[in-house]
Each structure stands twice: as C-alpha cells, then as structure tokens.
Amino acid sequence: QVQLVESGGGLVQAGGSLRLSCVASGRTFSSYSMGWFRQAPGKEREFVAHISWSGSSTYYADSVKGRFTISRANAKNTVYLQMNSLKPEDTAVYYCAARRDYGFGYYYTAIAEYNYWGQGTQVTVSS
C-alpha cells in the first residue's frame, strides 16, 4: 500500500513558476513509476508527466513539454513537478499517482494504469 500526499499548489500569475511535491509512504518508493495528472473544472483528468523508477526516463504531455519538469528523489520518497511559464489554462487540481515499475522501460499515461493516488493540490494561474 502506498499513500501519496501532494503539496506546493497555490495562486500564481501567468508566466510564473511553482514546484509541486508529492511524498510517498512506504519503503519501496524506488519500485514505483510516478505520474502527475491534472483536472480542470468541468473537464476530465488528464496526464501531465511520467517518470520511471530510477528517474532516467521521463515523458510529458505536449501541452506542458518544455515548461514542466518531473523529477524524483528516491532517498526522500518524493517526486516533484517544476512548472515554469505557467498559463491560465494550467489551472487545475494536480494529482500525483504511483504504480509498480517492472523495469520494462514503458511510460504510463492512462489513469487506469496507476494504482495509487494522492488527494490533489490546487494550482490557479491568473491572467
């Protein structure tokens, strides 16, 4: 069982930056792929970024590529999402998610591929 707790959300002006953190419970964090998703009001939850268990492989949604960076610190059981050049359309509740990573080199973008979810943190970007 993995429990995830996000933090770092808030209100920022367009063009600004935020860094989200997600801390995982348990001693097997390094066995898990981690993902960030977001859900805007009235919209479906969508994939944002994925990072492999080792951090050596990352993958991004086209809408955030070049602006957002996912990283992890396995010694701290933490995954990060650095968000730069924020736009009003980035406004959403951001969720981190986890699933076991068997080292196949896949990247996981579908909600159904993740087993564990955090409660979410609100990010609001004003114009």
Side-chain angles (χ1 to χ4, degrees):
Q1 190 74 9
V2 176
Q3 292 184 326
L4 305 172
V5 179
E6 303 97 334
S7 62
L11 174 64
V12 64
Q13 288 188 333
S17 298
L18 281 175
R19 188 176 82 156
L20 305 183
S21 300
C22 172
V23 179
S25 65
R27 294 176 291 179
T28 59
F29 178 71
S30 61
S31 301
Y32 288 85
S33 274
M34 301 298 295
W36 284 97
F37 289 74
R38 66 186 182 186
Q39 187 166 17
K43 295 188 176 181
E44 294 186 349
R45 192 171 299 188
E46 64 176 6
F47 169 77
V48 174
H50 167 264
I51 189 166
S52 63
W53 69 272
S54 64
S56 63
S57 176
T58 58
Y59 185 77
Y60 298 92
D62 287 343
S63 58
V64 306
K65 201 172 296 182
R67 301 188 297 122
F68 291 11
T69 302
I70 188 172
S71 62
R72 65 190 296 161
N74 285 346
K76 296 182 179 180
N77 280 18
T78 303
V79 63
Y80 304 98
L81 185 67
Q82 177 67 44
M83 306 185 295
N84 299 329
S85 302
L86 282 162
K87 305 175 181 179
E89 51 263 44
D90 294 318
T91 295
V93 177
Y94 283 71
Y95 299 89
C96 71
R99 61 153 291 137
R100 288 300 300 270
D101 188 330
Y102 297 101
F104 296 139
Y106 298 155
Y107 52 84
Y108 303 99
T109 64
I111 293 171
E113 292 178 306
Y114 289 83
N115 305 110
Y116 306 101
W117 292 84
Q119 83 290 347
T121 186
Q122 176 71 47
V123 171
T124 303
V125 184
S126 63
S127 57

